[in-house]
């Protein structure tokens, strides 16, 4: 039996995903399909190269927040408390 995860995602996450897609487009020449339900499967390289691995996808996600934070004029340094958290890989079993 597969575990079921129920969480409350408010509209903040919905808006974040749109900005993440734009950042991938501008900074990494990648597409992020908003109509897919699989986060890792939604990332594609425009160069036709292989899809990013889960580790690369997490690195992109971790890079997004400091990049957006420092893009704001009023702050050039991201908070020191940001950590590079990464969950265990998702198994297909």
């Amino acid at each position: 039996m597969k575990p079921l995860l129920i969480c409350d995602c408010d509209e903040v996450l919905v808006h974040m995903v749109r900005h993440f897609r734009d950042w991938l487009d501008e900074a990494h020449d990648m597409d992020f399909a908003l109509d897919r339900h699989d986060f890792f499967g939604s990332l594609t390289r425009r160069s036709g190269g292989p899809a990013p691995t889960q580790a690369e996808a997490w690195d992109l996600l971790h890079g997004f927040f400091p990049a957006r934070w420092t893009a704001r004029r009023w702050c050039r340094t991201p908070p020191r408390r940001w950590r590079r958290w990464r969950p265990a890989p998702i198994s297909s079993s």
Side-chain angles (χ1 to χ4, degrees), residues 1-69:
M1 176 179 235
K2 290 186 177 184
L4 174 65
L5 174 67
I6 299 173
C7 60
D8 177 26
C9 289
D10 61 17
E11 64 185 65
V12 172
L13 290 177
V14 174
H15 292 292
M16 184 280 302
V17 171
R18 187 184 70 217
H19 293 290
F20 181 63
R21 178 195 61 193
D22 295 344
W23 178 75
L24 287 173
D25 173 36
E26 297 166 3
H28 296 282
D29 200 32
M30 296 178 77
D31 289 321
F32 183 63
L34 296 177
D35 60 343
R36 297 204 46 186
H37 298 287
D38 174 21
F39 175 80
F40 298 110
S42 299
L43 298 165
T44 56
R45 300 182 204 280
R46 287 205 200 102
S47 65
T53 63
Q54 284 188 13
E56 290 172 315
W58 278 111
D59 288 340
L60 287 166
L61 191 57
H62 287 299
F64 166 72
F65 293 103
R68 282 300 190 193
W69 183 274

Side-chain angles (χ1 to χ4, degrees), residues 55-85:
E56 290 172 315
W58 278 111
D59 288 340
L60 287 166
L61 191 57
H62 287 299
F64 166 72
F65 293 103
R68 282 300 190 193
W69 183 274
T70 57
R72 297 179 183 271
R73 293 179 193 203
W74 46 267
C75 183
R76 296 289 178 210
T77 308
R80 292 181 189 176
R81 287 183 278 195
W82 276 344
R83 298 180 184 148
R84 296 184 57 82
W85 178 80

